[in-house]
Amino acid sequence: MSDPDASGRRKPVPLKHSEFKLDAQLFIFATGQQPDLAYLGLETHSSNVNAAGGRIVVDSLTMETSVPGVYAGGDAVTGPATVIKAVAAGKRAAAAIDDLLRGRAPSPGLAYPVKRSPGALLQAHASDRARDSLIDGHALYIKERKNTFDEALRAISDEEALAEAARCLRCDMCIACGKCMDTCRDSVGSDAIRLGYLEQSGEKEKETDFMRPQERCMGCGACAANCPTGAITVEDKHGFRETSMCGGLMSRLELATCQECGQQFATTRHLGVVNDSVRGKFGADGHNKEVCSECAARVWSLNIFG
Ligand code: SF4
Ligand code: SF4
């Protein structure tokens, strides 16, 4: 390595006659790099862009160079750094250009991204999400890609993009508070939701069980009502009640029809559980009549008050 330069950095210096050959398929140059600023004509003074220490000097707020309206960013400004820093520089420069074109003073910082209003969740069963695999972008073979600047990954089709989106677990919606699990187990008694990361069972963490809701859920909606983020939804359609978490279908249960008014009002499984729990308490056959709560109240008051 060389002696430290003005920035305190040492550089690798080639040693004469130290070369050797190594078989390789791909070579990634990963020692310190520096931009080739020859095109700026610094030595011939054909450009007014300032540079120092082999890097372009910019205003750190706007990324504007010493030439008004000319911006720079990335490794040519910072030296070797991360991609994210280069992206941030691009965003800062874009905001400054926007301010310039609109005749505004440069803003002191980038605004935080604003979350868009949530769109409809893509419905996909958890087991489908687990099974669907990453779209194969048909990467170019190593043999071809090592000598080309062509894109190594092709763009994916509309259908593939939709399939990719359906794999999203929407983990941004669930804050892992565990209220759904507590409600279902302690208040409802179904114990249909098991999220392993929420609860410790002795030393061993409980396993997340995706099959459990379809087997045990009765579609009462209590988990959705208690979910603080709206991650759980309940929807009645085509004679079934679908309960979903983060867009993943937890259960799909048949709806019962009220024998008085003809409205669909609860799942047959929920009704069965309720009827079982009151069996024998309200007369010989009072336990198995499928009547919605509004009709039950009306019939009850008619019986009492006439
Ligand atoms: S809808 Fe299903 S999972 Fe939710 S509380 Fe009721 S029984 Fe439990
Ligand atoms: S689905 Fe809702 S209630 Fe359940 S853990 Fe996530 S945020 Fe909490």
Side-chain angles (χ1 to χ4, degrees):
M1 302 295 277
S2 69
D3 290 335
D5 62 14
S7 70
R9 192 182 170 105
R10 293 174 184 274
K11 289 186 186 142
V13 180
L15 292 178
K16 272 191 180 165
H17 311 302
S18 65
E19 303 88 354
F20 61 93
K21 285 188 177 173
L22 202 62
D23 283 337
Q25 288 176 303
L26 184 68
F27 177 72
I28 301 173
F29 188 73
T31 63
Q33 299 176 53
Q34 60 183 34
D36 178 1
L37 300 181
Y39 68 95
L40 290 177
L42 297 170
E43 288 174 8
T44 55
H45 301 288
S46 56
S47 152
N48 292 325
V49 172
N50 282 347
R55 297 176 199 167
I56 300 172
V57 176
V58 297
D59 179 317
S60 59
L61 173 65
T62 62
M63 309 308 291
E64 194 173 27
T65 66
S66 48
V67 178
V70 176
Y71 300 77
D75 291 9
V77 168
T78 57
T82 59
V83 169
I84 206 72
K85 281 197 171 172
V87 172
K91 289 193 169 185
R92 228 174 281 138
I97 292 167
D98 189 43
D99 286 336
L100 179 79
L101 295 176
R102 290 173 195 273
R104 295 186 303 226
S107 16
L110 284 177
Y112 281 103
V114 178
K115 196 168 186 173
R116 284 177 296 167
S117 51
L121 285 174
L122 279 170
Q123 297 288 346
H125 197 280
S127 55
D128 291 337
R129 292 176 192 219
R131 194 172 49 234
D132 288 345
S133 55
L134 193 68
I135 298 297
D136 177 7
H138 298 302
L140 291 177
Y141 289 117
I142 285 178
K143 197 162 67 122
E144 291 155 7
R145 68 201 286 192
K146 74 177 179 180
N147 291 323
T148 176
F149 284 112
D150 288 349
E151 277 184 293
L153 288 173
R154 68 170 173 84
I156 59 176
S157 67
D158 289 357
E159 292 73 30
E160 288 171 333
L162 281 172
E164 273 293 283
R167 297 173 60 239
C168 173
L169 297 177
R170 289 308 306 261
C171 53
D172 59 319
M173 297 196 73
C174 174
I175 56 173
C177 67
K179 282 191 178 160
C180 56
M181 201 165 74
D182 291 347
T183 303
C184 186
R185 181 189 54 210
D186 302 336
S187 306
V188 177
S190 289
D191 198 9
I193 305 176
R194 184 149 294 175
L195 302 174
Y197 53 91
L198 292 175
E199 196 174 68
Q200 299 286 328
S201 164
E203 288 298 299
K204 190 172 177 297
E205 196 174 74
K206 271 191 179 174
E207 284 173 11
T208 300
D209 185 349
F210 290 119
M211 299 311 293
R212 203 171 172 88
Q214 183 59 50
E215 287 161 7
R216 301 180 70 109
C217 171
M218 58 181 178
C220 69
C223 52
N226 282 284
C227 173
T229 67
I232 301 185
T233 56
V234 177
E235 193 180 5
D236 291 351
K237 57 182 181 189
H238 311 309
F240 288 86
R241 174 164 295 173
E242 294 185 348
T243 306
S244 305
M245 182 189 284
C246 299
L249 195 61
M250 290 204 296
S251 66
R252 186 169 188 268
L253 299 166
E254 192 181 359
L255 283 165
T257 304
C258 173
Q259 292 174 4
E260 291 289 330
C261 69
Q263 299 286 326
Q264 289 181 318
F265 65 103
T267 67
T268 51
R269 188 184 282 180
H270 191 180
L271 210 58
V273 170
V274 172
N275 283 338
D276 283 349
S277 68
V278 298
R279 193 178 298 279
K281 293 180 185 161
F282 299 104
D285 65 349
H287 63 274
N288 59 6
K289 200 166 185 190
E290 296 184 353
V291 180
C292 71
S293 54
E294 286 83 7
C295 289
R298 187 166 43 78
V299 170
W300 191 270
S301 59
L302 276 175
N303 285 344
I304 294 175
F305 301 111

